[in-house]
């Protein structure tokens, strides 16, 4: 027998989840999370500062990298309050409209990051396929246009999400599976006509992450075809080496996204702890590791950072 309409309600607050079954020792997880957030914020802000203060890094590749770092900072800040509230203060409540706002920002910044990764793949394709016309094809106005397009697309695609959720009534409790608000997680608590939400949510995944990933794969197929046409083995390795950081970043971003999406859609009977375990890498893996990947693999970034901070240290003396 189904639930009657009288049992449906519009919640004023929702409850976030930390580590199911481990609430007694949950505060122990707060220190690693604080360290990860600190690394993500300091690392990406360092990338932004180094690129801004180094004129030789004002080329297309590094402008796109600065866009990626800025998006990672925004994505980290959008989840920081609730994650630390849950793990550090054991405060699980979040106001319903605040939850919708957080959900919008998380999904929007994730969509923007996906679009920037696609732009970076195009950047590597042009740099390898047509290096003599690299700066002619990827001019500053075009790079800025790519960034604006990524932001506009993210906002336009994700703006309907909170609106579609707000119209629904809830009948399956108020406890979410994560320590932040995620659209499929909130939607599963709703009752009634959720078909529109399901179809729109699936369309978002396909039209943003799916399309971006498909074009990234196509870009690398064309890059590989170009690299194999290079006569010398050293030339091939040198060309591929310029793509290593971006390939790592793409994998770090898309693998958790795909696994988390599959967990929500097909992992109904899995342990709640699995949802939490997969949710945190989805938001923290790329912001934490991106600065390390680009810092270690890009000698221009390493050299510029060393020069900038050595200069600052000498000035302070």
């Amino acid at each position: 027998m189904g639930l009657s309409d009288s049992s449906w309600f519009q919640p004023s607050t929702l409850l976030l989840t930390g580590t199911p079954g481990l609430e007694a020792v949950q505060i122990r997880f707060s220190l690693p999370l604080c360290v990860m957030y600190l690394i993500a914020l300091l690392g990406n802000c360092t990338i932004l500062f180094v690129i801004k203060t180094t004129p030789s890094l004002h080329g297309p590749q590094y402008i796109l990298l600065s866009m990626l770092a800025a998006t990672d900072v925004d994505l980290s800040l959008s989840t920081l309050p609730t994650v630390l509230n849950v793990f550090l203060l054991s405060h699980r409540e979040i106001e319903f409209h605040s939850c919708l706002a957080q959900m919008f920002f998380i999904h929007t910044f994730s969509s923007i990051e996906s679009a920037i990764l696609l732009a970076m793949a195009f950047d590597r394709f042009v740099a390898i396929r047509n290096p003599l016309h690299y700066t002619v094809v990827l001019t500053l106005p075009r790079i800025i246009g790519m960034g604006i397009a990524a932001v506009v697309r993210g906002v336009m695609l994700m703006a309907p999400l909170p609106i579609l959720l707000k119209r629904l009534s809830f009948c399956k409790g108020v406890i979410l599976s994560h320590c932040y608000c995620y659209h499929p997680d909130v939607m599963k608590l709703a009752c009634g006509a959720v078909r529109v939400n399901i179809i729109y949510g699936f369309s978002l995944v396909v039209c943003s992450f799916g399309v971006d990933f498909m074009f990234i794969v196509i870009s690398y197929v064309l890059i590989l075809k170009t690299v194999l046409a290079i006569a010398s083995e050293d030339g091939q390795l040198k060309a591929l080496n310029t793509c290593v950081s971006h390939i790592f970043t793409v994998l770090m971003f898309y693998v958790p996204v795909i696994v988390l999406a599959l967990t929500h859609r097909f992992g109904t009977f899995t342990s709640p702890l699995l949802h939490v375990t997969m949710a945190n890498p989805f938001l923290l893996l790329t912001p934490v590791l991106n600065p390390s990947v680009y810092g270690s693999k890009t000698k221009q970034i390493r050299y510029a950072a060393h020069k900038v901070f050595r200069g600052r240290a000498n000035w302070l003396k």
Side-chain angles (χ1 to χ4, degrees), residues 11 17 19 21 44 63 67 70 76-77 79 96 124 133 154 163 171 187 190 220 253 268 270-271:
T17 298
T19 49
N44 286 290
I63 294 174
M67 291 181 183
S76 298
L77 291 176
T79 61
F96 181 68
R124 291 299 83 206
H133 294 87
I163 298 172
C171 66
M187 185 180 63
Y220 272 102
F253 179 78
T268 307
T270 57
S271 167

Side-chain angles (χ1 to χ4, degrees), residues 67-229:
M67 291 181 183
L68 183 68
T71 305
D72 281 338
V73 169
D74 292 330
L75 188 58
S76 298
L77 291 176
S78 65
T79 61
L80 178 64
T82 55
V83 172
L84 293 189
N85 265 343
V86 170
F87 283 93
L88 193 59
L89 304 177
S90 298
H91 181 73
R92 297 176 56 199
E93 291 188 356
I94 182 171
E95 200 269 330
F96 181 68
H97 292 93
S98 298
C99 180
L100 295 182
Q102 184 188 49
M103 180 193 68
F104 167 75
F105 285 118
I106 289 173
H107 287 280
T108 298
F109 289 130
S110 298
S111 176
I112 293 171
E113 179 148 350
S114 179
I116 292 173
L117 289 174
L118 173 57
M120 295 175 79
F122 179 68
D123 167 82
R124 291 299 83 206
F125 168 70
V126 174
I128 293 173
R129 186 70 176 265
N130 200 354
L132 296 178
H133 294 87
Y134 176 64
T135 55
V136 176
V137 175
L138 291 174
T139 60
L140 181 59
R142 286 177 180 170
I143 295 295
I144 294 175
M146 290 179 184
I148 294 174
V151 173
V152 171
R153 188 195 73 164
V155 172
M156 291 182 65
L157 286 178
M158 303 304 168
L161 285 182
I163 298 172
L164 290 173
L165 279 175
K166 187 173 171 56
R167 71 182 179 87
L168 297 175
S169 296
F170 291 71
C171 66
K172 301 176 182 176
V174 294
I175 301 176
L176 301 174
S177 302
H178 308 311
C179 46
Y180 55 82
C181 294
Y182 182 61
H183 176 255
D185 195 25
V186 179
M187 185 180 63
K188 73 179 183 182
L189 302 178
C191 299
V194 297
R195 182 179 296 273
V196 174
N197 296 70
I198 294 173
I199 294 174
Y200 189 75
F202 179 75
S203 300
L204 282 182
V205 173
V206 173
C207 294
S208 55
F209 302 108
V211 171
D212 291 346
F213 185 71
M214 180 185 70
F215 279 112
I216 289 172
V217 171
I218 292 173
S219 297
Y220 272 102
V221 169
L222 296 175
I223 287 172
L224 185 60
K225 183 179 178 181
T226 303
V227 169
L228 292 176

Side-chain angles (χ1 to χ4, degrees), residues 269-301:
F269 302 104
T270 57
S271 167
L273 191 58
L274 177 64
H275 289 266
V276 177
T277 304
M278 291 311 308
N280 291 328
F282 163 61
L283 291 178
L284 281 174
L285 195 61
T286 50
V288 168
L289 296 182
N290 275 351
S292 300
V293 169
Y294 279 96
S296 61
K297 293 292 183 180
T298 310
K299 64 180 181 180
Q300 292 88 344
I301 294 287

